[in-house]
Structure formats: structure tokens, C-alpha cells
Amino acid sequence: GAAPQARRVQAGVFEVRFPGNASQVAAASSAGAETTIAFVGGGVFRVGLWVPGRQDAVDTPFSVVAV
């Protein structure tokens, strides 16, 4: 498939698209935040990032792997 695409939805929330990849499973991680990931559909995943131990959203680098 093509290169992954990411867009910021709001503070601490990003959508990552994997064009041409039909995967419905992905993993996300960040050294500076706790993460959640959810399948949205059509090769798109929504990543949530927040300060560890709090519910404050944070924009920080992260990695996503579609499997």
C-alpha cells in the first residue's frame, strides 16, 4: 500500500490511515503518553494520547503498526 497518513483531530487525538491495507488490527505506543487505539474503518485508526496518571490530552510523538 501507499505511505501511512496522519491527521490531528483535536488535542491528543489523531487519525492514522493505511491506504491499501485492509487490516482491522493495530497497535500504538508512545514514550511520552498512555495510548488507546480504535479501528474506525477503511484502513483508518483513531489514536488517543494522554498524560500518564491523568486524563489530560497531550500531543506527543507516537508509533502505529497495522498487523
Side-chain angles (χ1 to χ4, degrees):
Q5 304 165 346
R7 74 178 186 102
R8 182 178 183 264
V9 177
Q10 64 188 45
V13 179
F14 295 83
E15 286 186 349
V16 180
R17 177 182 307 274
F18 293 90
N21 187 331
S23 177
Q24 296 182 7
V25 178
S29 66
S30 173
E34 294 192 29
T35 62
T36 59
I37 190 162
F39 178 65
V40 176
V44 178
F45 296 88
R46 182 167 286 200
V47 177
L49 305 162
W50 68 93
V51 176
R54 300 192 341 216
Q55 292 299 312
D56 299 334
V58 63
D59 291 339
T60 189
F62 63 93
S63 297
V64 179
V65 177
V67 293

